[in-house]
């Protein structure tokens, strides 16, 4: 569903005298339908950089990232920005650690807005179901999430990521600020997604979660070790 | 996904004496797409907007617009009446200062209804009902429909201008700092309104803003301008999260986060 070949990424900080930081080099990675791959490695090794590169959020320095979109493998490193927007719309879902939304929009609308290919009524129904499943009480659905707790915001984010049922789902620490009960719900949701044939790539610091969902662990090594 | 651009500019140049306001600017916009032009004051953002919308002529370069029939129009070769007709129907322009667009001597409802009448609508009751509907969408109370804009606050004027612009469901809207100078609660509502309407109606937008947060929430793509040149362009989140050009890095790192 998704593969990289010889992917590299470096950052050049022009404001810090042009310092160049190499993060990824020669990364060959793949994930198949219905499979969950966990990215592992010490802090600062480049896990998030890899995940963000896969989403096209970071611009790859070299190599290719091929995504199966409408039956074709498309390299998002060279694809036009418009095509990347469309791939994200239909194929590639992403759950970040932080919720970034237009202020004053209700939690329910935020989640329903991310649904694909359904009527607004169905989208709202699905959104309400997902939020309730994630233990967001109905009384909060109509409120904008700016005042919610960290764990609640993350669950809004998760609902938004899962409602689209994208064929590929990228998860950046989906359970980081959740209690055990909610963590178990997220594990169940990831397993269901896999059963539907969705390819999942995630960063899970919680080894319990990782062992529960991941079929395979992909080690991201700090640059100097990889050389 | 259609490959036909709605608006397309090539090799735009415009100098004000020694100052290059636009230097070899290319730009493409597809139907339903929101493109943000960001950069500091004096970087040429508004000049580019004015040239793209035919309000200002470039010294060289061309701007093509694909009309509803699919024919390409050279915006700067069109006759003045044809361009005015385009601005009245297919296009909308949201100014930074709403007084540049609104007719201050006409009621709020009249300001919204006028665009409909310019399109040939004649049923007074329908026009009034639609005007009130649009005032409600921009959170202006229906009781203000017969009031003159000069009795409105700055934020209300801006909302009135948005209602006046979008009432005719234009295909392409140019926006110059639409949320500039508004209090933040209004800004948030306006952002949500613009985003929802643009999606629902499939409107393409060229948005000039110095506020990177506005660009992030509204735009699919951004163009970063400095001294009349486009120094970086691409996916909004990619340009803002992984800026490549020194100027973009400076811009992104200079933002205060509340």
């Amino acid at each position: 569903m998704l593969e990289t070949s010889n992917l590299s990424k470096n950052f050049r900080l022009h404001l810090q005298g042009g310092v160049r930081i190499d993060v990824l080099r020669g990364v060959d990675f793949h994930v198949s339908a219905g499979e969950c791959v966990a990215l592992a490695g010490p802090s600062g090794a480049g896990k998030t950089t890899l995940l963000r590169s896969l989403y096209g959020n970071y611009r790859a320095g070299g190599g290719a990232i091929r995504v199966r979109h409408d039956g074709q493998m498309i390299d998002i490193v060279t694809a036009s920005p418009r095509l990347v927007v469309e791939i994200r719309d239909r194929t590639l879902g992403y759950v970040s650690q932080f919720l970034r939304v237009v202020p004053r929009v209700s939690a329910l609308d935020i989640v329903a807005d991310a649904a694909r290919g359904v009527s607004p009524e169905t989208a709202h129904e699905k959104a309400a179901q997902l939020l309730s499943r994630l233990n967001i009480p109905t009384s909060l659905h109509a409120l904008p999430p700016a005042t919610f707790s960290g764990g609640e915001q993350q669950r809004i984010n998760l609902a938004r990521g899962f409602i689209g049922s994208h064929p590929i789902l990228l998860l950046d620490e989906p359970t980081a600020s959740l209690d055990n009960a909610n963590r178990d719900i997220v594990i169940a949701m990831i397993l269901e997604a896999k059963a539907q044939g969705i390819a999942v790539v995630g960063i899970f610091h919680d080894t319990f979660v990782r062992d529960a969902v991941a079929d395979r662990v992909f080690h991201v090594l700090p640059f100097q070790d990889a050389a | 996904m259609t490959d036909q651009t709605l608006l397309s500019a090539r090799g735009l140049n415009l100098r004000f004496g020694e100052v290059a306001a636009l230097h070899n600017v290319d730009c493409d916009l597809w139907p339903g797409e929101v493109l943000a032009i960001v950069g500091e004051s004096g970087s040429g953002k508004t000049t580019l907007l004015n040239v793209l919308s035919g309000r200002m002529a470039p010294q060289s370069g061309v701007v093509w617009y694909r009309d509803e029939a699919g024919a390409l129009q050279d915006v700067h070769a069109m006759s003045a009446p044809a361009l005015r007709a385009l601005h009245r129907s297919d296009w909308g322009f949201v100014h930074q200062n709403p007084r540049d667009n609104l007719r201050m001597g006409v009621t709020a409802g009249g300001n919204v209804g006028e665009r409909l009448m310019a399109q040939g609508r004649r049923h007074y009751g329908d026009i009034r009902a639609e005007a009130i509907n649009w005032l409600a969408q921009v959170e202006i109370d229906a009781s203000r429909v017969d009031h003159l804009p000069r009795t409105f606050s700055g934020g209300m004027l801006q909302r009135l201008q948005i209602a006046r612009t979008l009432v005719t469901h234009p295909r392409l809207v140019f926006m110059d700092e639409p949320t500039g100078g508004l209090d933040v609660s209004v800004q948030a509502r306006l952002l949500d309104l613009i985003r929802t309407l643009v999606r629902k109606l499939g409107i393409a937008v060229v948005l000039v803003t110095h506020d990177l947060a506005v660009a992030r929430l509204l735009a699919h793509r951004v163009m970063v301008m400095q001294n009349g040149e486009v120094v970086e362009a691409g996916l909004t989140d990619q340009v803002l999260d992984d800026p490549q050009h020194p100027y973009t890095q400076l811009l992104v790192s200079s933002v205060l986060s509340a």
Side-chain angles (χ1 to χ4, degrees), chain A residues 77-147:
Chain A
V77 177
T78 52
S80 72
R82 294 176 57 231
L83 187 53
V84 176
V85 168
E86 198 199 87
I87 288 172
R88 287 178 178 180
D89 196 38
R90 302 223 307 271
T91 301
L92 205 51
Y94 183 82
V95 177
S96 71
Q97 292 183 62
F98 308 102
L99 187 64
R100 202 177 240 147
V101 291
V102 177
R104 288 182 66 191
V105 181
S106 77
L108 191 67
D109 284 341
I110 288 169
V111 176
D113 199 46
R116 302 174 306 134
V118 292
S119 70
E121 295 76 32
T122 318
H124 277 88
E125 243 166 67
K126 272 179 85 176
Q129 278 169 12
L130 257 175
L131 287 174
S132 299
R133 183 171 183 197
L134 285 161
N135 289 323
I136 305 284
T138 321
S139 56
L140 292 183
H141 290 189
L143 301 179
T147 54

Side-chain angles (χ1 to χ4, degrees), chain B residues 76-97:
Chain B
H76 292 282
M78 291 170 86
S79 66
L83 189 61
R84 272 203 304 277
L86 200 57
H87 271 283
R88 260 204 315 270
S89 54
D90 272 19
W91 289 6
F93 202 110
V94 175
H95 295 260
Q96 186 169 9
N97 181 354

Side-chain angles (χ1 to χ4, degrees), chain B residues 142-214:
Chain B
S143 66
R144 303 297 300 267
V145 64
D146 295 320
H147 292 193
L148 291 178
R150 69 163 172 271
T151 64
F152 284 16
S153 70
M156 288 171 75
L157 287 177
Q158 189 58 287
R159 284 176 276 153
L160 181 59
Q161 182 188 199
I162 304 244
R164 173 179 162 94
T165 307
L166 296 186
V167 66
T168 53
H169 297 188
R171 299 170 72 213
L172 171 60
V173 175
F174 301 93
M175 297 188 182
D176 190 0
E177 303 276 10
T179 57
L182 296 182
D183 80 67
V184 285
S185 61
V186 177
Q187 223 178 64
R189 174 76 185 122
L190 205 60
L191 282 176
D192 182 40
L193 182 77
I194 293 172
R195 198 184 56 116
T196 312
L197 289 171
V198 161
R199 257 223 203 151
K200 194 169 76 186
L201 306 173
I203 303 171
V205 178
V206 184
L207 168 79
V208 162
T209 180
H210 67 272
D211 188 340
L212 297 181
V214 170

Side-chain angles (χ1 to χ4, degrees), chain B:
Chain B
M1 189 164 83
T2 164
D3 286 322
Q4 294 201 320
T5 57
L6 186 66
L7 192 74
S8 193
R10 286 292 174 271
L12 297 179
N13 279 288
L14 181 60
R15 302 187 69 86
F16 298 128
E18 286 297 294
V19 184
L22 295 177
H23 185 67
N24 290 334
V25 174
D26 293 344
C27 169
D28 287 302
L29 184 74
W30 282 269
E33 192 182 39
V34 181
L35 172 69
I37 305 170
V38 303
E40 65 196 356
S41 301
S43 57
K45 307 186 295 284
T46 299
T47 304
L48 178 58
L49 196 69
N50 284 333
V51 168
L52 289 176
S53 60
R55 292 156 50 87
M56 197 183 267
Q59 279 148 352
S60 66
V62 65
V63 180
W64 296 101
Y65 170 67
R66 192 178 303 275
D67 66 20
E68 246 177 320
L72 278 179
Q73 307 279 352
D74 179 344
V75 170
H76 292 282
M78 291 170 86
S79 66
L83 189 61
R84 272 203 304 277
L86 200 57
H87 271 283
R88 260 204 315 270
S89 54
D90 272 19
W91 289 6
F93 202 110
V94 175
H95 295 260
Q96 186 169 9
N97 181 354
R99 289 172 189 82
D100 291 346
N101 189 351
L102 296 171
R103 302 222 313 190
M104 299 307 282
V106 175
T107 62
N111 263 291
V112 179
E114 189 187 40
R115 287 264 295 184
L116 290 171
M117 282 160 72
Q119 287 200 328
R121 298 272 292 272
R122 287 295 174 262
H123 189 288
Y124 179 78
D126 286 354
I127 291 172
R128 186 176 168 86
E130 193 153 349
I132 289 174
N133 170 29
W134 272 90
L135 291 180
Q137 291 211 48
V138 295
E139 294 188 352
I140 294 176
D141 196 87
S143 66
R144 303 297 300 267
V145 64
D146 295 320
H147 292 193
L148 291 178
R150 69 163 172 271
T151 64
F152 284 16
S153 70
M156 288 171 75
L157 287 177
Q158 189 58 287
R159 284 176 276 153
L160 181 59
Q161 182 188 199
I162 304 244
R164 173 179 162 94
T165 307
L166 296 186
V167 66
T168 53
H169 297 188
R171 299 170 72 213
L172 171 60
V173 175
F174 301 93
M175 297 188 182
D176 190 0
E177 303 276 10
T179 57
L182 296 182
D183 80 67
V184 285
S185 61
V186 177
Q187 223 178 64
R189 174 76 185 122
L190 205 60
L191 282 176
D192 182 40
L193 182 77
I194 293 172
R195 198 184 56 116
T196 312
L197 289 171
V198 161
R199 257 223 203 151
K200 194 169 76 186
L201 306 173
I203 303 171
V205 178
V206 184
L207 168 79
V208 162
T209 180
H210 67 272
D211 188 340
L212 297 181
V214 170
R216 186 188 283 276
L217 291 174
L218 291 181
H220 299 110
R221 289 190 294 126
V222 294
M223 282 168 50
V224 183
M225 291 192 73
Q226 182 191 25
N227 300 331
E229 277 184 78
V230 177
V231 294
E232 187 166 353
L235 276 175
T236 305
D237 64 300
Q238 195 179 72
V239 171
L240 296 184
D241 290 338
D242 186 16
Q244 310 285 318
H245 191 273
Y247 177 68
T248 318
Q249 293 192 354
L250 177 70
L251 213 57
V252 170
S253 66
S254 306
V255 175
L256 296 172
S257 54

